[in-house]
Amino acid sequence: AIQLTQSPSSLSASVGDRVTISCRASQDIGSALAWYQQKPGKAPKLLIYDASSLQSGVPSKFSGSGSGTDFTLTISSLQPEDFATYYCQQFNSYPLTFGGGTKVEIK
Amino acid sequence: EVQLVESGGGLVQIGGSLRLSCAASGFTVSSNYMTWVRQAPGKGLEWVSIIYSGGSTYYADSVKGRFTISRDDSKNTLLLQMNSLRAEDTAVYYCARSPNWNYVSGFDYWGQGTLLTVSS
């Protein structure tokens, strides 16, 4: 199975900060990666698909980049509603796998 | 409006069985790839199973041979039959939809989740 390693596992940031989250795959997955945001007690929300395509309705402050084994989610200017846990997921092969998550907290 | 509503969770004994349902509205379940994802209390997301619009199915190794994903097209509902349940199957179970009929690149609509607790 393809392993996805997210880093950091948690981070503290201030409103207005630029935040980057990394997701590294254990083998080449092309662009078959999505990013989700999850708030406590809620279902995940799709932010990015195909590594860099913005899901409809998602603010443009979210962006994704990368291909192969190294991927990044960037939040350009952190807002209070962005404090949440973020997960990457690969779609290159079965079993589909998620990264361990990155919790973004208020500094 | 697309909606997914899970039901069927609850408390089950180790070794028992349960069937989860995910009622869909606003789209046709059989026209999309549909999936189950679970989240153990305080833990991350774990993919469980997927069913293609054509009927092909795939499973996580942790549930293969014990869980079966299917659809009831007459009710526009996704199902997950879970047998030989273990304590480690305790989780909130989410159903979700891929927006595409022929490939998966992300799951755009999710249900609210249903909690399964497996205990002795």
Side-chain angles (χ1 to χ4, degrees):
Chain A
I2 295 174
Q3 310 297 321
L4 295 180
T5 303
Q6 284 185 238
S7 61
S9 56
S10 65
L11 65 91
S12 294
S14 300
V15 172
D17 282 353
R18 180 182 180 91
V19 169
T20 60
I21 298 169
S22 172
C23 178
R24 177 163 290 179
S26 59
Q27 63 189 73
D28 189 337
I29 60 170
S31 297
L33 189 98
W35 289 96
Y36 299 89
Q37 176 194 68
Q38 188 181 33
K39 296 181 179 179
K42 300 295 186 181
K45 174 185 176 182
L46 179 64
L47 301 175
I48 301 289
Y49 63 95
D50 289 344
S52 61
S53 296
L54 189 67
Q55 173 66 9
S56 175
V58 173
S60 59
K61 62 182 172 181
F62 292 97
S63 63
S65 64
S67 66
T69 61
D70 291 304
F71 301 87
T72 300
L73 174 70
T74 299
I75 309 172
S76 61
S77 178
L78 203 63
Q79 297 302 306
E81 62 270 20
D82 303 329
F83 292 94
T85 301
Y86 294 84
Y87 295 92
C88 55
Q89 182 186 23
Q90 66 82 19
F91 296 91
N92 180 75
S93 63
Y94 291 104
L96 304 184
T97 47
F98 287 93
T102 296
K103 187 174 185 179
V104 177
E105 299 176 301
I106 301 173
K107 182 183 283 185
Chain B
E1 181 192 3
V2 172
Q3 271 198 315
L4 295 167
V5 179
E6 300 98 337
S7 61
L11 176 62
V12 180
Q13 285 194 324
I14 292 173
S17 298
L18 202 67
R19 189 178 77 169
L20 303 182
S21 299
C22 171
S25 57
F27 75 103
T28 303
V29 163
S30 61
S31 297
N32 292 74
Y33 289 14
M34 299 292 299
T35 199
W36 289 97
V37 172
R38 68 184 181 183
Q39 187 168 36
K43 302 298 184 182
L45 301 170
E46 180 186 15
W47 175 76
V48 173
S49 181
I50 193 169
I51 184 167
Y52 286 2
S53 51
S56 297
T57 59
Y58 294 88
Y59 298 91
D61 290 344
S62 58
V63 307
K64 199 175 296 181
R66 300 187 299 122
F67 291 11
T68 303
I69 190 172
S70 63
R71 299 185 305 242
D72 183 338
D73 293 345
S74 67
K75 296 181 179 178
N76 205 31
T77 296
L78 178 70
L79 303 169
L80 185 68
Q81 177 66 42
M82 303 181 294
N83 299 328
S84 303
L85 284 164
R86 306 168 180 168
E88 54 265 36
D89 295 319
T90 295
V92 173
Y93 285 74
Y94 296 100
C95 63
R97 182 194 86 155
S98 169
N100 308 299
W101 68 270
N102 60 347
Y103 71 98
V104 59
S105 60
F107 299 111
D108 63 345
Y109 283 91
W110 295 64
Q112 83 287 354
T114 187
L115 176 63
L116 167 68
T117 304
V118 184
S119 175
S120 56

Short mmCIF file of all heavy atoms in Angstrom, two decimals, chain A residues 21-63:
data_model
loop_
_atom_site.label_atom_id
_atom_site.label_comp_id
_atom_site.label_asym_id
_atom_site.label_seq_id
_atom_site.Cartn_x
_atom_site.Cartn_y
_atom_site.Cartn_z
N ILE A 21 1.58 22.91 4.14
CA ILE A 21 1.52 21.55 4.67
C ILE A 21 2.06 20.60 3.60
O ILE A 21 1.69 20.72 2.43
CB ILE A 21 0.07 21.17 5.04
CG1 ILE A 21 -0.46 22.10 6.14
CG2 ILE A 21 -0.02 19.72 5.47
CD1 ILE A 21 -1.95 21.98 6.38
N SER A 22 2.90 19.69 4.01
CA SER A 22 3.53 18.76 3.08
C SER A 22 2.91 17.38 3.16
O SER A 22 2.49 16.92 4.23
CB SER A 22 5.02 18.67 3.38
OG SER A 22 5.63 17.65 2.63
N CYS A 23 2.88 16.71 2.02
CA CYS A 23 2.41 15.32 1.93
C CYS A 23 3.36 14.58 1.01
O CYS A 23 3.52 14.97 -0.15
CB CYS A 23 0.98 15.29 1.40
SG CYS A 23 0.27 13.62 1.17
N ARG A 24 4.01 13.57 1.54
CA ARG A 24 4.98 12.81 0.76
C ARG A 24 4.50 11.38 0.58
O ARG A 24 4.14 10.71 1.56
CB ARG A 24 6.34 12.83 1.44
CG ARG A 24 7.41 11.99 0.72
CD ARG A 24 8.79 12.37 1.19
NE ARG A 24 9.18 13.70 0.73
CZ ARG A 24 10.35 14.27 1.03
NH1 ARG A 24 11.21 13.65 1.81
NH2 ARG A 24 10.63 15.47 0.57
N ALA A 25 4.48 10.92 -0.66
CA ALA A 25 4.03 9.57 -0.98
C ALA A 25 5.22 8.61 -1.03
O ALA A 25 6.32 9.00 -1.41
CB ALA A 25 3.31 9.55 -2.32
N SER A 26 4.97 7.36 -0.67
CA SER A 26 6.03 6.36 -0.64
C SER A 26 6.44 5.88 -2.02
O SER A 26 7.46 5.21 -2.18
CB SER A 26 5.60 5.17 0.23
OG SER A 26 4.42 4.58 -0.30
N GLN A 27 5.63 6.22 -3.03
CA GLN A 27 6.00 5.94 -4.42
C GLN A 27 5.28 6.94 -5.32
O GLN A 27 4.39 7.66 -4.87
CB GLN A 27 5.65 4.50 -4.81
CG GLN A 27 4.18 4.16 -4.78
CD GLN A 27 3.94 2.67 -4.98
OE1 GLN A 27 4.21 1.85 -4.09
NE2 GLN A 27 3.44 2.31 -6.15
N ASP A 28 5.69 6.99 -6.56
CA ASP A 28 5.17 7.96 -7.52
C ASP A 28 3.66 7.75 -7.71
O ASP A 28 3.21 6.66 -8.08
CB ASP A 28 5.90 7.78 -8.86
CG ASP A 28 5.58 8.89 -9.86
OD1 ASP A 28 4.52 9.53 -9.75
OD2 ASP A 28 6.39 9.10 -10.77
N ILE A 29 2.89 8.81 -7.45
CA ILE A 29 1.44 8.73 -7.64
C ILE A 29 0.96 9.73 -8.69
O ILE A 29 -0.24 10.01 -8.81
CB ILE A 29 0.66 8.94 -6.32
CG1 ILE A 29 0.96 10.32 -5.72
CG2 ILE A 29 0.98 7.83 -5.32
CD1 ILE A 29 0.03 10.66 -4.54
N GLY A 30 1.89 10.28 -9.46
CA GLY A 30 1.50 11.25 -10.47
C GLY A 30 0.85 12.45 -9.83
O GLY A 30 1.43 13.07 -8.93
N SER A 31 -0.37 12.77 -10.27
CA SER A 31 -1.12 13.88 -9.69
C SER A 31 -2.37 13.40 -8.97
O SER A 31 -3.30 14.16 -8.73
CB SER A 31 -1.51 14.89 -10.78
OG SER A 31 -0.38 15.48 -11.36
N ALA A 32 -2.41 12.14 -8.63
CA ALA A 32 -3.60 11.52 -8.04
C ALA A 32 -3.69 11.77 -6.54
O ALA A 32 -3.62 10.84 -5.72
CB ALA A 32 -3.61 10.03 -8.34
N LEU A 33 -3.86 13.04 -6.18
CA LEU A 33 -3.88 13.42 -4.77
C LEU A 33 -4.95 14.47 -4.53
O LEU A 33 -5.15 15.37 -5.35
CB LEU A 33 -2.53 13.98 -4.35
CG LEU A 33 -2.41 14.18 -2.84
CD1 LEU A 33 -1.68 13.02 -2.19
CD2 LEU A 33 -1.74 15.50 -2.51
N ALA A 34 -5.63 14.33 -3.39
CA ALA A 34 -6.62 15.31 -2.98
C ALA A 34 -6.30 15.79 -1.57
O ALA A 34 -5.60 15.11 -0.81
CB ALA A 34 -8.02 14.70 -3.01
N TRP A 35 -6.81 16.96 -1.25
CA TRP A 35 -6.66 17.55 0.08
C TRP A 35 -8.05 17.82 0.65
O TRP A 35 -8.95 18.29 -0.05
CB TRP A 35 -5.89 18.86 0.03
CG TRP A 35 -4.44 18.74 -0.26
CD1 TRP A 35 -3.84 18.87 -1.48
CD2 TRP A 35 -3.38 18.50 0.69
NE1 TRP A 35 -2.48 18.71 -1.35
CE2 TRP A 35 -2.17 18.49 -0.02
CE3 TRP A 35 -3.35 18.29 2.07
CZ2 TRP A 35 -0.94 18.29 0.59
CZ3 TRP A 35 -2.13 18.08 2.69
CH2 TRP A 35 -0.93 18.08 1.94
N TYR A 36 -8.20 17.54 1.95
CA TYR A 36 -9.46 17.77 2.66
C TYR A 36 -9.20 18.60 3.91
O TYR A 36 -8.12 18.54 4.51
CB TYR A 36 -10.10 16.46 3.10
CG TYR A 36 -10.45 15.52 1.98
CD1 TYR A 36 -9.53 14.59 1.52
CD2 TYR A 36 -11.71 15.55 1.37
CE1 TYR A 36 -9.84 13.71 0.49
CE2 TYR A 36 -12.03 14.68 0.35
CZ TYR A 36 -11.08 13.76 -0.08
OH TYR A 36 -11.40 12.90 -1.10
N GLN A 37 -10.23 19.32 4.32
CA GLN A 37 -10.26 20.03 5.59
C GLN A 37 -11.33 19.37 6.46
O GLN A 37 -12.44 19.09 5.98
CB GLN A 37 -10.64 21.50 5.35
CG GLN A 37 -10.80 22.32 6.60
CD GLN A 37 -11.49 23.65 6.29
OE1 GLN A 37 -12.68 23.71 5.93
NE2 GLN A 37 -10.76 24.75 6.41
N GLN A 38 -11.01 19.14 7.72
CA GLN A 38 -12.00 18.59 8.64
C GLN A 38 -12.02 19.39 9.93
O GLN A 38 -10.98 19.59 10.56
CB GLN A 38 -11.75 17.11 8.94
CG GLN A 38 -12.88 16.48 9.74
CD GLN A 38 -12.65 15.03 10.08
OE1 GLN A 38 -11.52 14.59 10.29
NE2 GLN A 38 -13.74 14.25 10.14
N LYS A 39 -13.20 19.80 10.33
CA LYS A 39 -13.39 20.47 11.61
C LYS A 39 -14.00 19.48 12.59
O LYS A 39 -14.65 18.52 12.19
CB LYS A 39 -14.27 21.70 11.43
CG LYS A 39 -13.59 22.74 10.53
CD LYS A 39 -14.42 23.98 10.35
CE LYS A 39 -13.67 24.98 9.47
NZ LYS A 39 -14.44 26.22 9.23
N PRO A 40 -13.80 19.69 13.90
CA PRO A 40 -14.25 18.72 14.91
C PRO A 40 -15.74 18.40 14.77
O PRO A 40 -16.58 19.30 14.66
CB PRO A 40 -13.94 19.43 16.23
CG PRO A 40 -12.78 20.32 15.91
CD PRO A 40 -13.02 20.79 14.51
N GLY A 41 -16.05 17.11 14.76
CA GLY A 41 -17.43 16.66 14.69
C GLY A 41 -18.07 16.78 13.34
O GLY A 41 -19.27 16.52 13.21
N LYS A 42 -17.30 17.16 12.34
CA LYS A 42 -17.85 17.36 10.99
C LYS A 42 -17.19 16.41 10.00
O LYS A 42 -16.11 15.88 10.24
CB LYS A 42 -17.63 18.80 10.54
CG LYS A 42 -18.28 19.85 11.43
CD LYS A 42 -19.79 19.74 11.41
CE LYS A 42 -20.45 20.87 12.18
NZ LYS A 42 -21.93 20.73 12.18
N ALA A 43 -17.86 16.22 8.86
CA ALA A 43 -17.30 15.42 7.79
C ALA A 43 -16.19 16.20 7.09
O ALA A 43 -16.17 17.43 7.11
CB ALA A 43 -18.39 15.06 6.78
N PRO A 44 -15.27 15.48 6.46
CA PRO A 44 -14.24 16.17 5.67
C PRO A 44 -14.85 16.96 4.52
O PRO A 44 -15.93 16.63 4.02
CB PRO A 44 -13.38 15.02 5.13
CG PRO A 44 -13.61 13.90 6.09
CD PRO A 44 -15.05 14.04 6.51
N LYS A 45 -14.13 18.00 4.11
CA LYS A 45 -14.54 18.84 2.99
C LYS A 45 -13.43 18.82 1.95
O LYS A 45 -12.26 19.08 2.28
CB LYS A 45 -14.78 20.27 3.47
CG LYS A 45 -15.08 21.27 2.36
CD LYS A 45 -15.18 22.69 2.93
CE LYS A 45 -15.39 23.72 1.84
NZ LYS A 45 -15.43 25.11 2.38
N LEU A 46 -13.79 18.52 0.71
CA LEU A 46 -12.81 18.49 -0.37
C LEU A 46 -12.36 19.90 -0.73
O LEU A 46 -13.18 20.76 -1.03
CB LEU A 46 -13.42 17.80 -1.60
CG LEU A 46 -12.52 17.69 -2.84
CD1 LEU A 46 -11.30 16.81 -2.56
CD2 LEU A 46 -13.33 17.12 -4.02
N LEU A 47 -11.04 20.11 -0.71
CA LEU A 47 -10.46 21.41 -1.08
C LEU A 47 -9.81 21.37 -2.46
O LEU A 47 -10.03 22.26 -3.29
CB LEU A 47 -9.38 21.81 -0.06
CG LEU A 47 -9.78 21.95 1.39
CD1 LEU A 47 -8.53 22.23 2.23
CD2 LEU A 47 -10.82 23.03 1.57
N ILE A 48 -8.98 20.37 -2.68
CA ILE A 48 -8.14 20.26 -3.88
C ILE A 48 -8.25 18.84 -4.41
O ILE A 48 -8.21 17.88 -3.64
CB ILE A 48 -6.66 20.56 -3.54
CG1 ILE A 48 -6.48 21.95 -2.95
CG2 ILE A 48 -5.79 20.36 -4.78
CD1 ILE A 48 -6.67 23.10 -3.92
N TYR A 49 -8.36 18.69 -5.73
CA TYR A 49 -8.30 17.37 -6.35
C TYR A 49 -7.27 17.41 -7.48
O TYR A 49 -6.87 18.49 -7.93
CB TYR A 49 -9.67 16.92 -6.85
CG TYR A 49 -10.25 17.80 -7.94
CD1 TYR A 49 -10.09 17.49 -9.28
CD2 TYR A 49 -10.96 18.96 -7.61
CE1 TYR A 49 -10.61 18.29 -10.27
CE2 TYR A 49 -11.48 19.78 -8.61
CZ TYR A 49 -11.30 19.44 -9.93
OH TYR A 49 -11.81 20.24 -10.92
N ASP A 50 -6.86 16.24 -7.92
CA ASP A 50 -5.82 16.15 -8.96
C ASP A 50 -4.61 17.02 -8.60
O ASP A 50 -4.03 17.67 -9.48
CB ASP A 50 -6.38 16.53 -10.32
CG ASP A 50 -7.34 15.49 -10.88
OD1 ASP A 50 -7.34 14.36 -10.37
OD2 ASP A 50 -8.11 15.81 -11.81
N ALA A 51 -4.25 17.04 -7.35
CA ALA A 51 -3.08 17.70 -6.78
C ALA A 51 -3.14 19.22 -6.76
O ALA A 51 -2.63 19.85 -5.84
CB ALA A 51 -1.80 17.26 -7.51
N SER A 52 -3.77 19.84 -7.77
CA SER A 52 -3.71 21.30 -7.86
C SER A 52 -5.00 21.96 -8.33
O SER A 52 -5.03 23.19 -8.49
CB SER A 52 -2.58 21.72 -8.80
OG SER A 52 -2.81 21.19 -10.09
N SER A 53 -6.05 21.18 -8.53
CA SER A 53 -7.33 21.75 -9.00
C SER A 53 -8.19 22.13 -7.81
O SER A 53 -8.45 21.31 -6.93
CB SER A 53 -8.06 20.75 -9.90
OG SER A 53 -7.33 20.47 -11.07
N LEU A 54 -8.66 23.38 -7.83
CA LEU A 54 -9.47 23.89 -6.72
C LEU A 54 -10.90 23.40 -6.86
O LEU A 54 -11.53 23.62 -7.91
CB LEU A 54 -9.41 25.41 -6.71
CG LEU A 54 -10.01 26.13 -5.50
CD1 LEU A 54 -9.19 25.85 -4.24
CD2 LEU A 54 -10.09 27.63 -5.77
N GLN A 55 -11.42 22.77 -5.84
CA GLN A 55 -12.80 22.32 -5.85
C GLN A 55 -13.74 23.52 -5.93
O GLN A 55 -13.49 24.57 -5.32
CB GLN A 55 -13.11 21.49 -4.60
CG GLN A 55 -14.55 21.09 -4.40
CD GLN A 55 -15.08 20.13 -5.45
OE1 GLN A 55 -14.33 19.61 -6.27
NE2 GLN A 55 -16.38 19.87 -5.42
N SER A 56 -14.83 23.36 -6.64
CA SER A 56 -15.81 24.42 -6.80
C SER A 56 -16.29 24.93 -5.44
O SER A 56 -16.61 24.14 -4.55
CB SER A 56 -17.00 23.90 -7.60
OG SER A 56 -18.02 24.86 -7.68
N GLY A 57 -16.31 26.24 -5.29
CA GLY A 57 -16.80 26.85 -4.06
C GLY A 57 -15.75 27.04 -2.98
O GLY A 57 -16.03 27.67 -1.96
N VAL A 58 -14.56 26.51 -3.19
CA VAL A 58 -13.48 26.64 -2.21
C VAL A 58 -12.72 27.94 -2.48
O VAL A 58 -12.36 28.22 -3.63
CB VAL A 58 -12.54 25.43 -2.27
CG1 VAL A 58 -11.33 25.64 -1.37
CG2 VAL A 58 -13.30 24.16 -1.87
N PRO A 59 -12.46 28.74 -1.44
CA PRO A 59 -11.77 30.02 -1.66
C PRO A 59 -10.38 29.84 -2.28
O PRO A 59 -9.69 28.85 -2.00
CB PRO A 59 -11.65 30.59 -0.24
CG PRO A 59 -12.67 29.89 0.56
CD PRO A 59 -12.84 28.54 -0.04
N SER A 60 -10.00 30.83 -3.09
CA SER A 60 -8.73 30.74 -3.82
C SER A 60 -7.51 30.90 -2.92
O SER A 60 -6.38 30.76 -3.38
CB SER A 60 -8.70 31.80 -4.93
OG SER A 60 -8.86 33.09 -4.37
N LYS A 61 -7.70 31.19 -1.61
CA LYS A 61 -6.57 31.22 -0.70
C LYS A 61 -5.96 29.83 -0.51
O LYS A 61 -4.84 29.70 -0.05
CB LYS A 61 -6.98 31.80 0.66
CG LYS A 61 -8.04 30.98 1.38
CD LYS A 61 -8.43 31.65 2.69
CE LYS A 61 -9.64 30.95 3.32
NZ LYS A 61 -10.05 31.59 4.59
N PHE A 62 -6.73 28.78 -0.87
CA PHE A 62 -6.21 27.43 -0.82
C PHE A 62 -5.61 27.08 -2.19
O PHE A 62 -6.23 27.33 -3.23
CB PHE A 62 -7.32 26.42 -0.50
CG PHE A 62 -7.87 26.53 0.88
CD1 PHE A 62 -9.03 27.25 1.13
CD2 PHE A 62 -7.22 25.93 1.96
CE1 PHE A 62 -9.54 27.36 2.41
CE2 PHE A 62 -7.72 26.04 3.24
CZ PHE A 62 -8.88 26.76 3.48
N SER A 63 -4.42 26.49 -2.16
CA SER A 63 -3.82 26.03 -3.40
C SER A 63 -3.02 24.77 -3.15
O SER A 63 -2.51 24.55 -2.04
CB SER A 63 -2.93 27.11 -4.03
OG SER A 63 -1.85 27.41 -3.19
#
